Amino acid sequence: MKYAIVGSGVSGIAAIEAIRSVDRSGEVVMIGDDPHGFYSRPGLAYYLTGELHDKALYPRTSDEYRQMNFRYVKGRVKGVLREARVLELENQTSIAYDRLLIATGAQALPLEMPGANLEGVFKLDHMEDAKRILKRARRGKTAVVVGGGITALELVEGLLARGMNVHYLLRGDRYWSGVLDEHESKIVEARLQVEGVTLHHHAELIEVMGKKNRVIGARLLDGRTLKCDMVAYAIGIRPRLELAIQAGLAVDRGILVNEFMQTNDPHIFAAGDVAQVYDPAVGRSVLDSLWGPARQQGYAAGLNMAGKTTAYIKAPPFNVTRLAGLTTTIIGAVGGGHDEDLVGIARGDSETWRSLPDALVAQSGFDVNHLRLMVGEQRLLGAVVMGDQTLSYPLQKIVSERIDISSIREKLLAADARIGDVVVEFWAGLRN
Amino acid sequence: MAILGLFQHDVKKHAVLASGLVAPNPARCVQCGICTFNCPVGIDVRAHAWRGEPVIHNHCLTCGECVMRCPRGSLRFEKTDLFAKRKP
């Protein structure tokens, strides 16, 4: 059996592990166009802040790759000949396959305005982007960051840690309004201000100003200009669909797959940020841009490619991130508001979070330790845990395993309820 | 006395750490490698997190560097019963 995997991210690596757990002798080839191969993309945030160096971001040694027994081809696939089951690469070579996995990930939506191509305008998709940002930050003094979600804050915090003055522009009246509630946005914003970030609400960038092809400033819709050496943006991502479209596969916003991660061509599978997967919780196919689901989808795809039929059941999306230094866990469906700073979803994001569940809200905590629960009729539909993470593990289990919470529902919704204590007590009861 | 008290506190803390091990929660981990990067004895903690296995390694000091530095709370101490007193 010949397996081909396009993409060198976590989905592809997980798929190879799965294939090898079933088929020790089949021929596996991975084709990747990221010059840095497999590394922790979410870890780029900590590379930007200086918490670790770039070499630490690679989880595997060359010995470990050898043990996985696959061939790595650095290059870009330009086409799939589905009838012949052949991949055509840009370097004019071709690779035959029996089973193909498309795990090409997603890429940043471009900034479309005058000056967007000037030297000093950055996105944060890959290792190369992070390296360029750091090189520029060493010489720069002031940065303007636009966009929303986790990546925009990673840029803000990374540049701040590198000693830059940072202006963060928000088009709306608060940060990440599609996922966080007003109180949570304000907690994050207050902490950013304490760290020294200059926040601008209702501020829309319309032009990056330049001189000799270099950034010298940012022009806003209200006529103001900000002097800066750098503009960094994270306004959303889009799945890299070009190959799937060329191959004539069924696509919507991502590549449509069934529960076996199989596309409408039974020989071709898709996983990770590029795949659009049915979510039983919301009753439609959604996009996630999360490391955990990407790994799980890749693994499920690999098993199915090797002939071990395994359904991927999408769990409530879950992510842990740091927002202005505050560890934050987001579980299930918690949002619903409109976010003016993002087009579609961002990295480390899930469309499911944005769906507003049919739920009542219970919350407690007014400073760094904040807890919000989306309380449905019989179960918890989502949770946001900021600061102290003691409850995040129990809540992840309670939401994902659809545990019946009828016995504590009244207590959670009572006025001035200490909902954290109620959850702790409930969890202790479950464990006993 | 104060110095002695401090010493006793450290002994107690060490006794607690010595009876525990570092356990990962793979769902929270994104393989950034801060744990491995900061391990003073060079254990690849990240590899344990990928496999979802506790760090059972004869060099592990249970010093807590990896637990403390993980930006996503993916690691925690878990008590082992290895040296627990047997019930009579």
Side-chain angles (χ1 to χ4, degrees), chain A residues 17 26 98 107 129 180 185:
Chain A
E17 283 194 342
D98 297 306
Q107 64 190 14
D129 295 324
L180 302 183
S185 298

Side-chain angles (χ1 to χ4, degrees), chain B residues 16 18-21 78-87:
Chain B
V16 171
S19 64
L21 46 74
E78 233 171 46
K79 206 165 152 37
T80 57
D81 289 329
L82 203 59
F83 304 110
K85 284 180 186 169
R86 291 188 182 178
K87 284 179 186 171

Side-chain angles (χ1 to χ4, degrees), chain A residues 10 17 40 42-43 46 51-53 56-60 291 295 318-320 322 329 389 392-393 396, chain B residues 25-34 37-38 44 46-47 49-52 69-73 76:
Chain A
V10 65
E17 283 194 342
S40 174
Y46 316 127
E51 287 166 272
L52 81 181
H53 61 60
L57 288 167
Y58 298 87
R60 299 296 167 95
W291 178 274
R295 179 182 173 184
F318 162 85
N319 196 12
V320 192
R322 241 179 8 194
T329 302
Q389 293 295 304
S392 66
Y393 179 73
Q396 180 195 345
Chain B
N25 179 352
R28 299 176 80 92
C29 176
V30 290
Q31 295 284 293
C32 69
I34 283 185
F37 185 62
N38 286 289
D44 190 358
R46 162 170 53 191
W50 175 268
R51 297 190 299 265
R69 290 188 187 259
C70 173
R72 307 168 71 95
R76 64 182 189 281

